[in-house]
Amino acid sequence: MHSHDDAAMPATFTAAPPLSGTVTVPGDKSISHRSLMLSALAIGESRVEGLLEGEDVLATAAAMRAMGADIVRDDDGVWHIHGVGVGGLLQPETALDMGNSGTSTRLLMGLLASHDLTATFIGDASLSKRPMGRVIDPLSTMGAEFTASPGGRLPLTLRGLSPTVPIEYRLPVASAQVKSAVLLAGLNTPGITRVIEPIATRDHSERMLKGFGADLTVEIDADGARVISLVGEAELQPQNIVVPGDPSSAAFPMVAALLVPGSRVTIGNVGLNPTRAGLIDLLREMGGNIEIVNARDVGGEPVGDLIVTASALNGVEPDPARAPSMIDEYPVAFVAAAMAQGRSVFRGLEELRVKESDRLTAMANGLRLIGARVEETEDGLIIDGTGGEPLTGGGPVATLLDHRIAMSFAVAGLVSRNGVTVDDMRPVATSFPGFVDLLRAMGAVA
């Protein structure tokens, strides 16, 4: 892990010629985290190919190693994991350093809650500001105990309980991380753990738990809520997993190819899970030409290749109910809206205020700085687009140590008159270590 007190790494991104070629993006972050965690709980050897090797996922790997799993990466980039079995995790000898990863933290809190051990979670300055109360509440009901820093934040110490008590938990806020934390705690909990989800969120945990052999069912109740039931104490079987490309990372080359005139780019092996594909639907509604070819199913997850052709986009008013299926893609969607013809109105995005940064304010400030017309509201943004005219550019844009903000403004620079300077590109390593190489492969940067 690098420390965030090293010197910042600013970078300037300038107007690009037409983009072309075939590119792939790093493995899906959500699936990478879960494949390491569940492999570590299976008895026997699992193989994982295409794992996202960013800092967040490596933090998960380090934590599972610290609790007894044998995890090795071979020279071909295939990861081999020998698990300890559900309930078999060992007391870690030192604090678990989560770096910048909210996903690692919340999911591992769930996983460890039903083990008889004590663990302390620490993280970087950005992660240490993020509230963990939404997972502490249900896990405490199951019997785990937490001593957190003020406001339910890191550093935080968890005392797990075995056996824990199964609960039926209705999610008060749409959050895949809270749902996953409760289900993971349920793995080592005798009886049936239930999560009721009034608004559907990404379902990688359910798909992957089933894939590893857990007894898990999903039903829709009379109110249309999803009821997810997991039978503990589960026995997981080792798996061979090929991780699909991360749709949240594919968002950046996809928007770049739509915006830079004359571009046509193929993005290979992208995960197309419907709970994550909201951005593709949104961009198509705006008039974006995105074709899905070679659709296939890999390990319970739908995958395909995207052919993206530069298009004139129109403003849009997306349904707030779509937010969970593209929550991480809004920053780059705002860049697309800034270049569209007419007005876009984004609502129902309060969740973006508690991500790695307050993404609404950060995007509004940055877009205004580079010449876009943006009004910030309590739960969203109103953006009046340029109708395809280049943004003025400028900077440096403050990314607030947020990887998605940094990459969104890099894309904006490709369609600017004077270039866009991003104040610090280091955070991009958390999710997309080869981001600048990808832009180079499409011909965007020298």
Side-chain angles (χ1 to χ4, degrees):
M1 300 276 166
H2 61 60
S3 61
H4 279 284
D5 49 20
D6 307 340
M9 280 173 42
T12 302
F13 297 86
T14 54
L19 308 179
S20 62
T22 298
V23 295
T24 54
V25 295
D28 185 276
K29 194 154 103 167
S30 302
I31 295 174
S32 293
H33 281 301
R34 288 162 176 81
S35 63
L36 286 170
M37 290 181 195
L38 296 183
S39 296
L41 293 181
I43 299 269
E45 182 186 339
S46 295
R47 292 173 76 253
V48 182
E49 285 177 62
L51 189 84
L52 169 64
E53 297 182 2
E55 293 170 6
D56 285 11
V57 174
L58 297 179
T60 293
M64 301 319 296
R65 262 192 206 113
M67 292 179 290
D70 178 26
I71 302 180
V72 195
R73 178 191 187 275
D74 68 25
D75 295 342
D76 299 337
V78 178
W79 290 68
H80 302 266
I81 300 112
H82 288 268
V84 294
V86 171
L89 294 175
L90 306 174
Q91 168 91 32
E93 289 174 13
T94 54
L96 301 173
D97 186 348
M98 299 287 103
N100 183 241
S101 181
T103 306
S104 305
T105 310
R106 294 187 178 120
L107 267 56
L108 284 171
M109 284 166 66
L111 199 56
L112 301 189
S114 55
H115 282 73
D116 186 13
L117 49 76
T118 300
T120 298
F121 293 88
I122 58 174
D124 69 7
S126 158
L127 181 63
S128 300
K129 291 192 183 84
R130 297 177 70 178
M132 298 296 155
R134 54 170 73 170
V135 283
I136 290 175
D137 292 346
L139 296 175
S140 299
T141 315
M142 294 177 81
E145 291 179 18
F146 296 87
T147 312
S149 300
R153 294 179 167 82
L154 302 191
L156 168 159
T157 298
L158 167 164
R159 273 177 302 286
L161 179 68
S162 184
T164 23
V165 187
I167 59 170
E168 181 173 290
Y169 188 67
R170 189 180 183 90
L171 287 177
V173 54
S175 167
Q177 292 180 353
V178 178
K179 164 176 71 174
S180 300
V182 175
L183 292 173
L184 290 170
L187 280 174
N188 198 39
T189 302
I192 298 176
T193 297
R194 275 201 184 89
V195 178
I196 301 168
E197 190 176 51
I199 300 171
T201 64
R202 48 180 73 176
D203 63 356
H204 301 301
S205 291
E206 296 94 303
R207 286 174 188 250
M208 194 168 274
L209 281 163
K210 264 186 158 145
F212 272 85
D215 181 352
L216 179 143
T217 52
V218 181
E219 292 157 339
I220 307 297
D221 73 7
D223 304 331
R226 293 176 79 230
V227 181
I228 306 149
S229 307
L230 174 78
V231 181
E233 302 154 282
E235 280 188 33
L236 303 185
Q237 310 304 320
Q239 301 297 312
N240 290 333
I241 296 167
V242 179
V243 179
D246 194 322
S248 300
S249 296
F252 300 101
M254 186 159 57
V255 170
L258 287 174
L259 296 183
V260 176
S263 300
R264 183 178 168 89
V265 171
T266 301
I267 310 169
N269 189 44
V270 179
L272 297 175
N273 183 311
T275 64
R276 299 283 302 284
L279 179 68
I280 295 177
D281 299 337
L282 178 72
L283 292 171
R284 282 175 160 173
E285 275 165 42
M286 295 174 78
N289 181 343
I290 302 170
E291 198 188 336
I292 297 172
V293 295
N294 192 12
R296 53 206 186 270
D297 201 69
V298 179
E301 293 276 352
V303 174
D305 305 332
L306 305 179
I307 301 175
V308 187
T309 308
S311 309
L313 302 182
N314 297 304
V316 71
E317 295 199 19
D319 180 347
R322 176 182 286 162
S325 72
M326 55 172 289
I327 198 70
D328 285 328
E329 288 74 65
Y330 279 105
V332 78
F334 297 153
V335 173
M339 293 287 294
Q341 178 74 48
R343 170 169 281 194
S344 295
V345 181
F346 296 92
R347 292 202 172 88
L349 305 184
E350 306 88 337
E351 174 74 7
L352 288 184
R353 296 204 183 275
V354 295
K355 287 289 186 174
E356 281 80 340
S357 67
D358 177 339
R359 287 184 175 158
L360 287 179
T361 299
M363 287 304 300
N365 290 344
L367 284 168
R368 277 200 282 271
L369 184 66
I370 63 171
R373 286 176 298 169
V374 184
E375 183 190 331
E376 185 178 346
T377 62
E378 200 172 316
D379 67 341
L381 299 182
I382 298 170
I383 301 175
D384 286 297
T386 64
E389 287 301 306
L391 294 160
T392 320
V397 172
T399 55
L400 311 176
L401 294 180
D402 188 322
H403 52 127
R404 299 202 198 277
I405 305 265
M407 290 185 281
S408 298
F409 282 104
V411 169
L414 306 182
V415 285
S416 67
R417 270 198 202 91
N418 306 321
V420 169
T421 300
V422 173
D423 69 351
D424 193 356
M425 286 298 285
R426 285 173 309 154
V428 168
T430 64
S431 71
F432 202 152
F435 175 67
V436 175
D437 296 332
L438 170 102
L439 295 181
R440 207 169 275 133
M442 298 190 297
V445 293

